[in-house]
Amino acid sequence: MNPENMLTRQDLGDGVVALMLDSTGSVNTLDAALNQALLDQATQLAGDHTVKGIVIGSRKDDFVAGGDLKQLQEAATPAAVRSIVTPFLSALRLLERSGKPMVAALTGTALGGGLELALACHRRIAADNPGARFGFPEATLGLMPGAGGTQRLPRLIGIAAAAPLILEGRRLALDEAVKLGIVDQVVPADRLLAAAKEWALANPEASQPWDRKGFALPGFGVQSQAGRHFFTGAWARNKKAAGGNQLAAETILQVLQQGLERGLDAGIAIETRHFARLASGNDAKNKIRTLFNGVQRAKSMKMRPAGLPPSKVTRLGVVGGGVMGRGIAQVAASAGIEVILLDIDEQAARRSVDAIRSHVAKEAEKGRLRSSPDELMARITPSADYPSLAGVDFVLEAVFEKAEVKHAVLAQVAAAVGGEVPIASNTSTMPIGGLAEAAKHPERVIGLHFFSPVDRMPLVEVIRGAKTDDATLARALDFMKQLGKTPIVVNDGLGFYTSRIVTTYSSETLNLIGEGTSAELIDNAAVNAGFAIGGASLAELTTLSLLSDILRSMRGDGERIANADNIAEPTVERLLAAGRVGKAGGGGLYDYGEHGRSVWPGLAELFPAKVALDAETVRRRLLNVQSLEAVRCLDDGILSEPLDGDVAAVLGWGYPGHLGGPFAYIDRIGVAAFIAECEDLASRFGRRFTPPPRLYRMAEAGQVFYS
């Protein structure tokens, strides 16, 4: 589409002109062509004495969803980024200082550059659209606002209110945006343009507060006592978060602190310089690829078999009232699905429902529920009888992770529901093909690996068994869409993808412990790399007894290269023999007392140090072992796309988002350099670090996982 068609004029009468946005696609996005078109229109309108007011509107249900991330991702240098945003910046500044009142007519959501466009207007009038959201989500993608957002929003509502919104990327509902003063007025949708015109005609001398003489920031200034206290605390919190790997947050704080001490134009110049550096850097490109492109790809259901009609689950059977079963039941009920929650007896089933009710009440207090607690709970029925599953559209078992237990449950479920109803197993390690043998119709069996807590974790690993048919996969993916989950589809195998990689992370942690490396050094190396929690702390929370079971279940035939020269199992068994279970059992690698946590003194005695390792070597071992196993999953056909593996890593077990995922990490280092690192690690610590042949072929051909 030509830029002229993306931005058209509409005469509202009496000298008021509307510029109406209408990008290709379902939402308006700002790209280089549209930015230039806006500047061209702004230049004409500013110089036209017949124009008395300007309205910026949209022909879509939403206003503007933000900038074109694909275009930003392709911008390799800061100069290339600046060339995209500079016309937009010039247009905004020209319009707000044109001497003509400018009104944003917000049909719906305004995010990122869309909100920046609105903030440059003298008035923001929104349609009464309860689904509309307003905010700056850039920080979640390793970016920051790049068209004046860091400078206009604090000048409008103050540093204290603006900074958290920019740093956290939180999206505000319409009523919140009004309360904060971001939106000035709400009108019925059919009166939006009329209301904008009325305000423009009634305020011919409109100007921005920051362009008036004597302007001062609302609340406190940067160098005031309150300002210095605010920024000192914000810098400390950022340094603590994910080991200080929050480059976007660090840059936002720097721009806020430096830019708000100066005039708006100087502040925007500072913002533009830093935005261009961030947008052309690895961190942002990795996050955009994984957390935007990858997640959008997963949610678009591109892996859904074609040609099959859409389906909808209206009545779900959940077998097992443990933590995972309760979480799945709650999420399904929250999505409007009737749930039969089946447990070993009536009393256990009622206890499970009571536990859900208690959790739902707490979530309601925090404003996290889509519906009222009573409505949600009315959709969940406890049961202890398999015949009660008759009439359900879909069944999901979430019972104890033992083959004989799951086989027995699946056989009874299959007998109760017949051959047309899909049966899913929420298993984290057990191959679906083996479980499906217990069902009369193995083609209807699929794996749905949810992550805990189910109501918070967006990822679901969808495991297709060798006999799972297209119809079952399609219905499972439709179910995921109903729940609002982000699915990645993988093929069957021991541990599938996520458990396979996470096990290598935990296993390498135990290898390091067994070699005498300090638990604190391991945790610090992981957190400084960007993990939310270190491997030793993760082992403590998992409990060493459960970790022992996981390692045993993931052993397979023992011949996998990931097991080569691995001492994780004997290490955890020695810890258990010494009475060390983990935090829940009073202590494992750490002791816990009234003054906090400390490394268990007996750890060094149990595992004397064989060689002193530095943090960089520990970090490489923890990261490289995950990337190697991810490549092996690709080779084994578990994964079909590296991007699926990276999405699963970041969403599933908190792999550092700025690194992009295990595959993106190899690209970041360079395939040849990664091979060299792994060969060195293999010579020093074991054959499990041996690079797969695929990597040698890629290095020889100059290939990468992502172009």
Side-chain angles (χ1 to χ4, degrees):
M1 182 181 285
N2 293 327
E4 291 78 10
N5 297 327
M6 300 178 188
L7 187 68
T8 56
R9 286 196 195 191
Q10 181 176 337
D11 187 358
L12 300 182
D14 300 317
V16 179
V17 174
L19 291 180
M20 304 298 289
L21 293 150
D22 192 10
S23 297
T24 54
S26 59
V27 296
N28 290 318
T29 54
L30 302 165
D31 61 11
L34 183 54
N35 291 346
Q36 184 59 52
L38 182 63
L39 177 57
D40 293 342
Q41 291 278 12
T43 303
Q44 293 175 29
L45 292 173
D48 188 342
H49 70 277
T50 66
V51 175
K52 307 300 181 186
I54 302 166
V55 175
I56 310 292
S58 167
R59 298 197 186 282
K60 298 186 186 297
D61 292 339
D62 288 317
F63 186 62
V64 180
D68 185 329
L69 290 176
K70 182 180 179 183
Q71 199 169 71
L72 269 184
Q73 195 174 25
E74 292 171 351
T77 64
V81 174
R82 286 195 296 271
S83 71
I84 296 171
V85 301
T86 297
F88 188 64
L89 289 165
S90 300
L92 299 191
R93 202 69 182 112
L94 175 62
L95 287 170
E96 71 180 340
R97 292 191 298 181
S98 66
K100 304 174 192 292
M102 185 167 68
V103 184
L106 305 170
T107 49
T109 292
L111 299 173
L115 184 55
E116 288 173 303
L117 174 56
L119 290 173
C121 295
H122 304 110
R123 182 79 169 176
R124 287 159 295 282
I125 304 177
D128 188 5
N129 180 348
R133 294 293 180 267
F134 305 87
F136 292 118
E138 288 92 340
T140 63
L141 297 176
L143 291 168
M144 59 178 282
T150 66
Q151 301 304 303
R152 287 189 178 92
L153 187 62
R155 285 173 166 83
L156 180 69
I157 64 174
I159 295 172
L165 297 180
I166 299 171
L167 287 164
E168 297 167 14
R170 191 159 64 89
R171 304 179 185 207
L172 301 171
L174 179 56
D175 58 344
E176 294 176 290
V178 171
K179 186 176 180 181
L180 280 172
I182 296 172
V183 171
D184 300 305
Q185 184 181 351
V186 179
V187 300
D190 60 2
R191 286 213 69 251
L192 185 58
L193 290 178
K197 174 187 172 180
E198 290 167 7
W199 191 91
L201 292 174
N203 295 272
E205 304 298 323
S207 64
Q208 296 286 31
W210 43 83
D211 285 327
R212 298 172 199 153
K213 189 174 181 180
F215 170 77
L217 280 164
F220 54 79
V222 173
Q223 292 301 333
S224 67
Q225 183 176 357
R228 289 194 297 271
H229 178 74
F230 174 86
F231 280 103
T232 297
W235 280 108
R237 286 189 296 274
N238 178 64
K239 187 174 182 180
K240 185 178 180 181
N245 271 302
Q246 301 291 337
L247 180 60
E250 179 183 298
T251 306
I252 289 166
L253 286 172
Q254 188 176 352
V255 169
L256 287 172
Q257 201 163 7
Q258 294 177 359
L260 295 175
E261 289 185 292
R262 297 164 171 80
L264 181 70
D265 292 310
I268 288 177
I270 292 170
E271 177 195 80
T272 303
R273 184 171 70 252
H274 286 285
F275 172 76
R277 176 175 58 85
L278 273 183
S280 59
N282 277 326
D283 286 18
K285 293 190 186 305
N286 280 331
K287 284 192 170 184
I288 291 170
R289 182 196 305 112
T290 302
L291 293 174
F292 185 79
N293 298 342
V295 169
Q296 290 295 101
R297 176 182 179 275
K299 287 189 171 182
S300 71
M301 302 293 169
K302 287 186 178 178
M303 68 293 288
R304 187 184 187 275
L308 292 168
S311 63
K312 189 173 183 180
V313 175
T314 58
R315 190 171 171 84
L316 173 72
V318 177
V319 184
V323 172
M324 298 305 293
R326 295 197 303 266
I328 293 165
Q330 178 192 319
V331 168
S334 180
I337 299 170
E338 299 291 328
V339 180
I340 304 295
L341 181 56
L342 193 146
D343 217 325
I344 54 174
D345 56 43
E346 289 285 354
Q347 188 176 10
R350 284 194 295 271
R351 281 199 304 267
S352 296
V353 172
D354 288 342
I356 296 172
R357 183 177 288 108
S358 176
H359 180 69
V360 162
K362 293 175 184 175
E363 292 296 288
E365 290 175 4
K366 298 173 184 176
R368 291 176 176 161
L369 292 185
R370 298 191 215 175
S371 55
S372 75
D374 289 342
E375 288 174 335
L376 190 156
M377 293 308 303
R379 299 188 189 109
I380 304 176
T381 303
S383 175
D385 301 315
Y386 282 92
S388 66
L389 297 176
V392 300
D393 309 303
F394 204 103
V395 180
L396 210 156
E397 71 80 7
V399 298
F400 192 60
E401 196 87 344
K402 280 196 177 296
E404 57 271 24
V405 176
K406 287 189 178 287
H407 281 149
V409 166
L410 288 170
Q412 293 182 81
V413 168
V417 301
E420 294 301 314
V421 177
I423 303 172
S425 174
N426 177 56
T427 177
S428 58
T429 61
M430 300 174 67
I432 297 303
L435 295 177
E437 293 174 0
K440 292 179 181 178
H441 299 277
E443 70 277 5
R444 292 293 182 185
V445 179
I446 195 166
L448 291 178
H449 177 199
F450 287 79
F451 293 77
S452 184
V454 177
D455 57 336
R456 302 280 182 83
M457 297 294 279
L459 184 74
V460 175
E461 190 175 22
V462 180
I463 306 107
R464 182 172 193 168
K467 295 183 179 179
T468 306
D469 63 19
D470 282 355
T472 300
L473 176 59
R475 290 172 70 179
L477 289 172
D478 291 344
F479 178 41
M480 293 300 96
K481 190 172 185 178
Q482 275 184 266
L483 299 187
K485 294 298 184 182
T486 303
I488 65 152
V489 178
V490 302
N491 288 316
D492 201 9
L494 182 65
F496 322 124
Y497 174 71
T498 56
S499 294
R500 222 171 120 168
I501 312 299
V502 172
T503 300
T504 65
Y505 180 41
S506 297
S507 182
E508 197 58 31
T509 296
L510 289 166
N511 284 328
L512 287 160
I513 292 291
E515 294 168 11
T517 305
S518 160
E520 282 185 323
L521 176 58
I522 296 167
D523 277 346
N524 289 339
V527 171
N528 288 335
F531 286 92
I533 185 171
S537 294
L538 180 62
E540 289 285 274
L541 294 176
T542 305
T543 74
L544 297 174
S545 53
L546 178 56
L547 198 50
S548 174
D549 290 340
I550 292 171
L551 291 173
R552 191 160 42 250
S553 70
M554 287 295 296
R555 187 189 305 152
D557 60 8
E559 297 301 315
R560 293 168 54 239
I561 186 67
N563 295 326
D565 305 319
N566 197 319
I567 60 170
E569 284 193 65
T571 297
V572 76
E573 295 308 323
R574 287 184 67 186
L575 285 162
L576 291 170
R580 309 301 293 183
V581 177
K583 186 175 182 179
L589 304 174
Y590 292 96
D591 276 335
Y592 302 87
E594 59 182 51
H595 300 296
R597 187 180 79 168
S598 60
V599 174
W600 173 48
L603 194 61
E605 298 174 17
L606 194 61
F607 303 107
K610 296 177 181 178
V611 60
L613 299 182
D614 57 22
E616 177 62 16
T617 300
V618 172
R619 184 190 68 82
R620 285 185 180 180
R621 286 178 63 171
L622 295 173
L623 287 169
N624 288 27
V625 76
Q626 294 180 66
S627 289
L628 288 168
E629 192 67 5
V631 174
R632 294 179 194 125
C633 285
L634 196 61
D635 286 341
D636 293 345
I638 301 298
L639 284 176
S640 58
E641 296 283 343
L643 187 55
D644 289 340
D646 282 348
V647 169
V650 176
L651 296 187
W653 65 89
Y655 190 96
H658 74 284
L659 297 180
F663 293 100
Y665 179 69
I666 296 174
D667 278 1
R668 185 186 186 105
I669 294 173
V671 178
F674 180 79
I675 288 172
E677 282 187 10
C678 290
E679 288 176 337
D680 174 63
L681 293 174
S683 69
R684 297 166 62 192
F685 305 110
R687 289 169 293 136
R688 62 189 174 279
F689 289 103
T690 303
R694 175 192 289 262
L695 292 180
Y696 287 100
R697 293 194 300 270
M698 289 177 65
E700 186 175 351
Q703 295 174 335
V704 291
F705 288 106
Y706 303 107
S707 59

